[in-house]
Amino acid sequence: MPTSFAWMIGGDQGEGIDATGDVFGRVLSRLGYCIYGYRHFSSRIKGGHTNFTVRIAREKVLAPQANVEVLVALTQETIDRNCHLLAPGAPLLADSQLKPTLPEACRAQLVEIPLTQIAREIGAPVVRNMVAVGASTALFGLPLEAFAAYAREKFARKGETVAGQNVEALQRGRAFIEELGMAGRFSLPEPAPRERYLMTGNDSLALGALAGGCRIMAAYPITPATDIMEGLAGLFPRFGGAVCQMEDELAAITLVIGANYAGARAMTATSGPGFSLMQEGIGLASMAEIPAVVVDTQRVGPSTGMPTKNEQSDLMAAVFGGHGEGQRIVMAPGTAEQAFADGFEAFNLADRYQCPVIILSDLALAQWLQSVEDLPLKQHRIDRGAIVAQEELDRLTGEFERYRVTEDGISPRALPGMPKGQFLATGVEHASSGKVSEAPQNRVSQVEKRSRKLAPLRTRPEAIEARQVDDAEVVVVCFGSIVGAVDEAVERLRQAGVRAGRVQVRQLWPMPDLPLTGALSGAAKVLVAEQNATGELRQLMRIAGLEDSRYRSLLHFDGTLLSPERVVAAVQAMSVKEEV
Amino acid sequence: METVTLQDYKTSEKSWWCPGCGDFGVLAALQKTLVKLGIPPHRVAIVAGIGCSGKMGNYINSYNIHVVHGRTLPSALGVKLANRDLLVIAAGGDGDGFAIGMNHFVHAVRRNIGVKYIVMDNHIYGLTKGQNSPTSDQGQKVKAAPFGNVESPVRPLSLALTAGATYVAQGFSSNQAQLARLIEGAIAHPGFAFVNVLSPCVTYNKINTYDFYKQMLYDLDADKDYLPDSRGRAISAVLEREELVTGLIYHDPGSVAYEDALPGFSQEPLAGRDITLGEAEFEELLASYR
């Protein structure tokens, strides 16, 4: 018996595919299932194929399923492009209006269902997709009442008529399948009766930032980062904050720098093309030692690349982008829980180390729905880092020494508005006073001061997350959203007798070389899995001295999210090769 | 209350501008105005750009942030939003503001951010040793355009007016009294106040000199028939005179600053607010993801 099920709905963009997937996934989540909701879409608003898959499991899953149990098709293209995902005999629900046909090789069971016609009979063509949801509840033997209750709640604001039409659509769809005798075709496992949230990494990152004290967000719209801006735009007015939609990313990053300089917590969120534009600003934050939080939700690059597809190829840009040698901290969440934690802690790190902190997210994490048990607010505390006390400023006889050379490299800052704390923050090299200086000795001492700051982060315990590495012969190293696929692969490999483990790198820079060395010490082989063509993570590890004959790469760069199957195959291929 | 003196605004640093540079006059007028208004240095944040004029912040003892080329206005907005009690002044040159930073200029104008923008407009790139700037006259010959500038100049005043500016003034760096008055008006104005200052470059610009301006400038402040209360008339007045005017050109008394228009935006400085999120409030937010 499978441990997870996948339900896919497909149609043209602009036909409410995402919204329908959201409804189906959300009610299943309320029923106690773990959900992973992922989509295929293109960079346009109307037209073109799109689909949304809801993967349903008892335990948390964070990777796409190789097949689907049920396909709901609103267009013939949906059938043509996706029916290979169905096992022979699996139900393909298609709107009768399409006069649908199956490709010759397809052995699925075509179930024609008059979705459009039923919706018309109800008097509301827009409820067509809800008819399909109703039909699906029958196939999976799900309680209709849970869906009806959700529809009533969701459409309450639109009035009783609309809510009623949606409920009727659910009922009619269900009745249609029941009449065909197909009800209960699949039996889902008993759900674990736990309350969960269903959210994207963008959702949880925005919540983390809010909880972490962020009150200013400046950004320019870009897929797949925009939800962060939109999420905060709805929340900030309650908390006195502001979201500023800027004219470009140059403005967004420099607004953030100005706001942080003046003592607020501010962030920006972008994707590759915008991140490239922000490099100059990030350099300023490094040089002038101003905190700044930048989210880069990676997509396929370079240039416009594939805006709606997966890739993890901004590591080098995040760590080394821009001219000169500036200090940056680069964090890499892989789950919604981690995006929340990083969204909060990035502000603490930025204030503590007075430098830019980049959260390197990616498309699947940013936009795909996942079940979340808890976002533990209590585990985080706001730390504003070193700010000079007013009493100390009052005692000063000379100028405030903003960039005083200290042992740990961190110099307490004054915030504008504090009497006697005036100083110059500048992207020009400066003396400890902040005043411009090009003296060789000063240059050396300031460069060394700034460089020293980040040394403790090399051993930060949260910088890696290792699982099942103690007895592992093969350890898969990864970062970002592919951690779900890697975990699933490790589990399957273990079931097949391969002692596999995984290490997720949570902080890409400074590279946590000592914790990594420890976690990988027992492994006979190390597979570095990443979604890019050049092995950027492996290159960064090499720079940090982590490379030997045990290391291999799994590079995935076709725009899809790495699958557990591919990881399993790569690990197995490694084992075979060595034995031969 | 302590009185503020000119000494409070002086720094130990020697000014690096060429002797005779118009920017000295701008710095002096600004310092004098701040002293006159009794604003203590810690309540002032100056955001300066790159170029000769960007050195402004090095020579004035306020909070200063010297940013990347062209980005003074978005940075200044960030400072203002973080601490709205500060007087935030953005300062830069014509290259910084009307070439590399032109995009931000137009958007800062239409947002009407609570920032005072002083441009030291010398119609030339000084710090890179004499290339044409976006405000350079047509025909001006420089090393990078040895056969003369073929581009038509940006007209900052009419540009600001058409973009919706609520306070537009132009000063001349050698007319201290007027310039100080215009800066004072800018400081009192709620929202974005633009003061363009004709600030001659004595080293690289042999056309737009002190003598040139003394001869050519028309003082609108002295014109009893000119009232700075109509956007349309203001545009005509500056275009008819090829922007060779000084004085208060336009002022919208009904101006509402961006930070006042933002829904729910904090009335007190964000920088001083408690940013802890309550457990109950957080649970409420989370509940919407069920």
Side-chain angles (χ1 to χ4, degrees), chain A residues 374-436:
Chain A
D374 192 24
L375 296 179
L377 179 64
K378 281 191 192 131
Q379 286 179 13
H380 304 280
R381 190 146 291 134
I382 286 168
D383 169 11
R384 295 305 310 263
I387 296 173
V388 66
Q390 184 57 55
E391 303 80 71
E392 205 175 310
L393 291 175
D394 291 340
R395 281 197 302 269
L396 281 181
T397 47
E399 287 174 318
F400 169 57
E401 224 186 349
R402 164 66 183 92
Y403 299 99
R404 186 160 54 87
V405 177
T406 57
E407 203 175 318
D408 62 5
I410 296 165
S411 328
R413 58 188 184 127
L415 302 179
M418 293 175 78
K420 297 183 76 177
Q422 298 95 284
F423 69 97
L424 170 65
T426 171
V428 182
E429 187 58 277
H430 40 269
S432 59
S433 64
K435 293 218 163 53
V436 170

Coordinates of all heavy atoms in Angstrom, one line a residue, chain A residues 374-436:
Chain A
D374 N 4.3 23.5 13.8 CA 4.3 24.7 14.8 C 5.4 25.6 14.3 O 6.4 25.2 13.7 CB 4.7 24.2 16.2 CG 4.5 25.3 17.2 OD1 3.7 26.2 16.9 OD2 5.1 25.2 18.3
L375 N 5.2 26.9 14.6 CA 6.3 27.8 14.4 C 6.6 28.4 15.8 O 5.9 29.1 16.3 CB 5.9 29.0 13.4 CG 5.5 28.6 12.0 CD1 5.1 29.8 11.2 CD2 6.7 27.9 11.3
P376 N 7.7 27.8 16.4 CA 7.9 28.1 17.8 C 8.5 29.5 18.1 O 9.7 29.7 18.1 CB 8.9 27.0 18.2 CG 9.6 26.7 16.9 CD 8.7 27.0 15.7
L377 N 7.6 30.4 18.2 CA 8.0 31.8 18.5 C 8.9 31.9 19.7 O 9.9 32.7 19.8 CB 6.8 32.7 18.7 CG 7.0 34.2 19.0 CD1 7.7 34.9 17.8 CD2 5.7 34.9 19.3
K378 N 8.6 31.1 20.7 CA 9.3 31.2 22.0 C 10.8 30.9 21.9 O 11.5 31.2 22.8 CB 8.6 30.2 23.0 CG 7.3 30.8 23.6 CD 6.9 30.0 24.8 CE 5.5 30.3 25.2 NZ 4.6 29.2 25.4
Q379 N 11.1 30.1 20.9 CA 12.5 29.8 20.8 C 13.4 30.9 20.3 O 14.6 30.8 20.2 CB 12.7 28.6 19.8 CG 12.2 27.3 20.3 CD 12.4 26.2 19.3 OE1 13.0 26.3 18.3 NE2 11.7 25.1 19.6
H380 N 12.8 32.0 20.0 CA 13.6 33.2 19.4 C 13.4 34.4 20.3 O 12.4 34.6 20.9 CB 13.1 33.5 18.0 CG 13.2 32.3 17.1 ND1 14.4 31.9 16.5 CD2 12.2 31.4 16.7 CE1 14.1 30.8 15.7 NE2 12.8 30.5 15.9
R381 N 14.5 35.1 20.4 CA 14.5 36.3 21.2 C 15.2 37.5 20.4 O 16.2 37.2 19.8 CB 15.2 36.1 22.5 CG 15.0 37.2 23.5 CD 15.0 36.7 25.0 NE 13.8 35.9 25.2 CZ 13.7 34.7 25.9 NH1 14.8 34.2 26.3 NH2 12.6 34.1 26.1
I382 N 14.6 38.6 20.5 CA 15.2 39.7 19.8 C 16.5 40.2 20.4 O 16.6 40.4 21.6 CB 14.2 40.9 19.6 CG1 13.2 40.5 18.6 CG2 14.9 42.2 19.2 CD1 12.0 41.4 18.5
D383 N 17.6 40.3 19.6 CA 18.9 40.8 20.1 C 19.3 41.9 19.2 O 19.6 41.6 18.0 CB 19.9 39.6 20.1 CG 21.3 40.0 20.4 OD1 21.5 41.2 20.7 OD2 22.2 39.2 20.2
R384 N 19.4 43.1 19.7 CA 19.8 44.2 18.8 C 21.3 44.4 18.6 O 21.7 45.3 17.9 CB 19.1 45.5 19.3 CG 17.6 45.6 19.3 CD 17.0 45.3 18.0 NE 17.5 46.1 16.8 CZ 17.0 47.2 16.3 NH1 15.9 47.7 16.8 NH2 17.5 47.8 15.3
G385 N 22.1 43.6 19.2 CA 23.5 43.7 19.0 C 24.1 44.9 19.8 O 23.4 45.4 20.7
A386 N 25.3 45.3 19.4 CA 26.0 46.3 20.2 C 25.5 47.7 19.8 O 25.8 48.2 18.7 CB 27.5 46.2 20.0
I387 N 24.8 48.4 20.7 CA 24.4 49.8 20.5 C 25.0 50.5 21.7 O 24.8 50.1 22.8 CB 22.9 49.9 20.4 CG1 22.4 49.2 19.1 CG2 22.5 51.4 20.4 CD1 20.9 49.1 19.0
V388 N 25.7 51.6 21.4 CA 26.3 52.3 22.5 C 25.3 52.9 23.4 O 24.2 53.3 23.0 CB 27.2 53.4 21.9 CG1 26.4 54.5 21.2 CG2 28.1 54.0 22.9
A389 N 25.6 52.9 24.7 CA 24.7 53.5 25.7 C 24.7 55.0 25.7 O 25.8 55.6 25.4 CB 25.0 53.0 27.1
Q390 N 23.6 55.6 25.9 CA 23.6 57.1 25.9 C 24.5 57.7 26.9 O 25.2 58.7 26.7 CB 22.1 57.6 26.0 CG 22.0 59.1 25.9 CD 22.5 59.7 24.6 OE1 22.0 59.2 23.5 NE2 23.4 60.6 24.6
E391 N 24.6 57.0 28.1 CA 25.4 57.5 29.2 C 26.9 57.6 28.7 O 27.6 58.5 29.0 CB 25.4 56.6 30.4 CG 24.0 56.5 31.0 CD 23.1 55.4 30.3 OE1 23.5 54.2 30.4 OE2 22.2 55.8 29.5
E392 N 27.2 56.6 27.9 CA 28.6 56.5 27.4 C 28.9 57.7 26.4 O 29.9 58.3 26.5 CB 28.9 55.2 26.7 CG 30.3 54.8 26.7 CD 30.5 53.4 26.1 OE1 29.7 52.5 26.5 OE2 31.3 53.3 25.1
L393 N 27.9 58.0 25.6 CA 28.0 59.1 24.7 C 28.1 60.4 25.5 O 28.9 61.3 25.2 CB 26.9 59.2 23.7 CG 26.8 58.1 22.7 CD1 25.5 58.2 21.9 CD2 28.0 58.1 21.7
D394 N 27.3 60.5 26.5 CA 27.3 61.7 27.3 C 28.7 62.0 28.0 O 29.0 63.2 28.2 CB 26.2 61.6 28.4 CG 24.8 61.7 27.8 OD1 24.7 62.1 26.7 OD2 23.9 61.2 28.5
R395 N 29.4 60.9 28.3 CA 30.7 61.1 29.0 C 31.8 61.4 28.0 O 32.9 61.8 28.4 CB 31.0 59.7 29.7 CG 30.3 59.6 31.0 CD 31.0 58.5 31.8 NE 31.1 57.2 31.2 CZ 30.2 56.2 31.3 NH1 29.1 56.4 32.1 NH2 30.3 55.1 30.6
L396 N 31.5 61.3 26.7 CA 32.6 61.5 25.7 C 33.1 62.9 25.7 O 32.3 63.9 25.8 CB 32.0 61.3 24.3 CG 31.9 59.8 23.8 CD1 31.3 59.8 22.4 CD2 33.2 59.1 23.8
T397 N 34.4 63.0 25.6 CA 34.9 64.4 25.4 C 35.2 64.7 24.0 O 35.1 65.8 23.5 CB 36.2 64.5 26.3 OG1 37.1 63.4 26.0 CG2 35.9 64.6 27.8
G398 N 35.6 63.7 23.2 CA 35.8 63.9 21.8 C 34.7 63.3 20.9 O 33.5 63.3 21.4
E399 N 35.1 62.9 19.7 CA 34.1 62.4 18.8 C 33.7 60.9 19.2 O 34.6 60.2 19.7 CB 34.6 62.4 17.4 CG 34.7 63.8 16.8 CD 35.4 63.7 15.4 OE1 36.4 63.0 15.3 OE2 34.9 64.4 14.5
F400 N 32.5 60.5 18.8 CA 32.2 59.1 19.0 C 32.9 58.3 17.9 O 32.9 58.6 16.8 CB 30.6 59.0 18.8 CG 30.2 57.6 18.7 CD1 30.5 56.6 19.7 CD2 29.5 57.1 17.5 CE1 30.1 55.3 19.6 CE2 29.1 55.8 17.4 CZ 29.4 54.9 18.4
E401 N 33.5 57.2 18.4 CA 34.3 56.4 17.5 C 33.5 55.2 17.0 O 33.6 54.1 17.6 CB 35.6 55.9 18.3 CG 36.8 56.0 17.5 CD 38.0 55.4 18.3 OE1 37.8 55.0 19.5 OE2 39.0 55.2 17.7
R402 N 32.8 55.4 16.0 CA 31.8 54.4 15.5 C 32.5 53.1 15.1 O 32.0 52.0 15.3 CB 31.0 55.0 14.4 CG 30.3 54.0 13.5 CD 29.1 53.3 14.3 NE 28.5 52.3 13.5 CZ 28.8 51.0 13.4 NH1 29.8 50.5 14.1 NH2 28.1 50.1 12.6
Y403 N 33.7 53.2 14.5 CA 34.3 52.0 13.9 C 35.6 51.7 14.7 O 36.6 51.3 14.2 CB 34.6 52.2 12.4 CG 33.3 52.5 11.7 CD1 32.9 53.7 11.3 CD2 32.5 51.4 11.3 CE1 31.7 54.0 10.6 CE2 31.3 51.6 10.6 CZ 30.9 52.9 10.3 OH 29.7 53.1 9.6
R404 N 35.5 51.8 16.0 CA 36.6 51.5 16.9 C 37.1 50.1 16.7 O 36.2 49.2 16.5 CB 36.1 51.6 18.4 CG 37.2 51.5 19.4 CD 36.7 52.1 20.8 NE 35.4 51.6 21.2 CZ 35.2 50.5 21.9 NH1 36.3 49.8 22.3 NH2 34.0 50.1 22.3
V405 N 38.4 49.9 16.6 CA 38.9 48.6 16.4 C 38.8 47.8 17.7 O 39.4 48.2 18.7 CB 40.4 48.7 15.9 CG1 41.0 47.3 15.7 CG2 40.4 49.4 14.5
T406 N 38.0 46.7 17.6 CA 37.8 45.9 18.8 C 38.4 44.5 18.6 O 38.6 44.1 17.5 CB 36.3 45.8 19.1 OG1 35.7 45.3 18.0 CG2 35.7 47.2 19.5
E407 N 38.4 43.8 19.7 CA 39.0 42.4 19.6 C 38.1 41.5 18.7 O 38.7 40.8 17.9 CB 39.1 41.8 21.0 CG 40.1 40.7 21.2 CD 40.2 40.3 22.6 OE1 40.3 41.2 23.5 OE2 40.3 39.1 22.8
D408 N 36.8 41.6 18.9 CA 36.0 40.7 18.1 C 35.5 41.4 16.8 O 34.8 40.8 16.0 CB 34.7 40.2 18.9 CG 33.9 41.4 19.3 OD1 34.1 42.5 19.0 OD2 32.9 41.1 20.1
G409 N 36.0 42.6 16.6 CA 35.7 43.3 15.3 C 34.4 44.0 15.3 O 34.0 44.7 14.4
I410 N 33.6 43.8 16.4 CA 32.3 44.5 16.4 C 32.4 45.8 17.2 O 32.9 45.8 18.4 CB 31.2 43.5 17.1 CG1 31.1 42.3 16.2 CG2 29.9 44.2 17.3 CD1 30.3 41.1 16.8
S411 N 32.0 46.9 16.6 CA 32.1 48.2 17.3 C 30.6 48.7 17.5 O 29.8 48.7 16.6 CB 32.8 49.2 16.4 OG 33.7 48.5 15.6
P412 N 30.3 49.0 18.8 CA 29.0 49.5 19.1 C 28.6 50.7 18.2 O 29.4 51.6 17.9 CB 29.1 49.9 20.6 CG 30.3 49.2 21.1 CD 31.2 49.0 20.0
R413 N 27.4 50.7 17.7 CA 26.9 51.8 16.9 C 26.0 52.7 17.6 O 25.4 52.3 18.6 CB 26.2 51.2 15.6 CG 25.0 50.4 15.9 CD 24.5 49.7 14.6 NE 23.3 49.0 14.8 CZ 22.2 49.1 14.1 NH1 22.1 50.0 13.2 NH2 21.1 48.4 14.4
A414 N 26.0 54.0 17.2 CA 25.0 54.9 17.7 C 23.9 55.0 16.7 O 24.1 54.8 15.5 CB 25.7 56.3 17.8
L415 N 22.7 55.3 17.1 CA 21.6 55.4 16.2 C 21.2 56.9 16.1 O 21.2 57.6 17.1 CB 20.3 54.7 16.8 CG 20.5 53.2 17.0 CD1 19.3 52.5 17.6 CD2 21.0 52.5 15.7
P416 N 20.9 57.3 14.8 CA 20.6 58.8 14.6 C 19.5 59.2 15.6 O 18.6 58.4 15.9 CB 20.1 58.8 13.2 CG 20.8 57.7 12.5 CD 20.9 56.6 13.6
G417 N 19.7 60.3 16.2 CA 18.8 60.8 17.2 C 19.4 60.7 18.6 O 19.0 61.4 19.5
M418 N 20.5 59.9 18.8 CA 21.2 59.9 20.0 C 22.1 61.0 20.1 O 23.1 61.2 19.3 CB 22.0 58.6 20.2 CG 21.1 57.3 20.3 SD 22.0 55.8 20.3 CE 22.6 55.7 22.0
P419 N 22.0 61.9 21.2 CA 22.9 63.1 21.3 C 24.3 62.6 21.4 O 24.6 61.7 22.1 CB 22.4 63.8 22.6 CG 21.0 63.3 22.7 CD 20.9 62.0 22.2
K420 N 25.2 63.4 20.8 CA 26.6 63.2 20.8 C 27.1 61.9 20.1 O 28.3 61.5 20.2 CB 27.2 63.3 22.2 CG 27.0 64.7 22.9 CD 27.6 64.7 24.2 CE 29.1 64.9 24.2 NZ 29.7 65.0 25.5
G421 N 26.2 61.3 19.4 CA 26.6 60.0 18.7 C 26.9 60.2 17.2 O 27.1 59.3 16.5
Q422 N 26.8 61.5 16.8 CA 26.9 61.7 15.3 C 28.2 61.1 14.7 O 29.2 61.2 15.3 CB 26.9 63.3 15.0 CG 25.7 64.0 15.4 CD 25.9 64.6 16.8 OE1 25.8 63.9 17.8 NE2 26.1 65.9 16.8
F423 N 28.0 60.5 13.6 CA 29.2 60.0 12.9 C 28.8 59.9 11.4 O 27.7 60.0 11.0 CB 29.5 58.6 13.4 CG 28.5 57.5 13.1 CD1 28.7 56.6 12.0 CD2 27.4 57.3 13.9 CE1 27.8 55.7 11.7 CE2 26.4 56.3 13.6 CZ 26.6 55.5 12.5
L424 N 29.9 59.6 10.6 CA 29.7 59.4 9.2 C 29.7 57.9 8.9 O 30.7 57.3 9.2 CB 30.8 60.2 8.4 CG 30.9 59.9 6.9 CD1 29.7 60.4 6.2 CD2 32.1 60.6 6.3
A425 N 28.7 57.4 8.3 CA 28.7 56.1 7.8 C 28.9 56.2 6.3 O 28.2 56.9 5.6 CB 27.3 55.4 8.0
T426 N 29.9 55.5 5.8 CA 30.2 55.7 4.4 C 30.7 54.5 3.7 O 31.3 53.6 4.4 CB 31.2 56.9 4.2 OG1 31.7 56.9 2.8 CG2 32.4 56.8 5.1
G427 N 30.5 54.4 2.4 CA 31.0 53.3 1.6 C 32.5 53.5 1.3 O 33.1 52.6 0.6
V428 N 33.0 54.7 1.6 CA 34.4 54.9 1.4 C 35.2 54.3 2.6 O 34.6 54.3 3.7 CB 34.6 56.5 1.4 CG1 36.1 56.8 1.1 CG2 33.8 57.1 0.3
E429 N 36.4 53.9 2.4 CA 37.1 53.4 3.5 C 37.3 54.5 4.5 O 37.5 55.7 4.1 CB 38.5 52.8 3.1 CG 39.3 52.1 4.2 CD 38.5 51.0 4.9 OE1 37.7 51.2 5.8 OE2 38.8 49.8 4.5
H430 N 37.2 54.1 5.8 CA 37.2 55.2 6.8 C 38.0 54.8 8.0 O 38.3 53.6 8.2 CB 35.7 55.3 7.2 CG 35.0 54.0 7.3 ND1 34.3 53.5 6.3 CD2 34.9 53.1 8.3 CE1 33.8 52.3 6.6 NE2 34.1 52.1 7.8
A431 N 38.3 55.8 8.8 CA 39.1 55.5 10.0 C 38.1 55.1 11.1 O 36.9 55.1 10.9 CB 39.8 56.8 10.4
S432 N 38.6 54.9 12.3 CA 37.7 54.4 13.4 C 36.6 55.5 13.7 O 35.5 55.1 14.2 CB 38.5 54.0 14.6 OG 39.2 55.2 15.1
S433 N 36.9 56.7 13.4 CA 35.9 57.8 13.6 C 34.8 57.8 12.6 O 33.7 58.4 12.8 CB 36.6 59.1 13.5 OG 37.1 59.3 12.2
G434 N 35.0 57.1 11.5 CA 34.0 57.1 10.4 C 34.5 58.0 9.3 O 34.0 58.0 8.2
K435 N 35.5 58.9 9.6 CA 36.0 59.8 8.6 C 36.8 59.1 7.5 O 37.4 58.1 7.8 CB 36.8 60.9 9.3 CG 36.0 61.8 10.2 CD 36.4 63.2 10.1 CE 35.4 64.1 10.7 NZ 34.9 63.7 12.0
V436 N 36.7 59.6 6.3 CA 37.4 59.0 5.2 C 38.9 58.9 5.5 O 39.5 59.9 5.9 CB 37.1 59.8 3.9 CG1 37.9 59.4 2.8 CG2 35.6 59.7 3.6

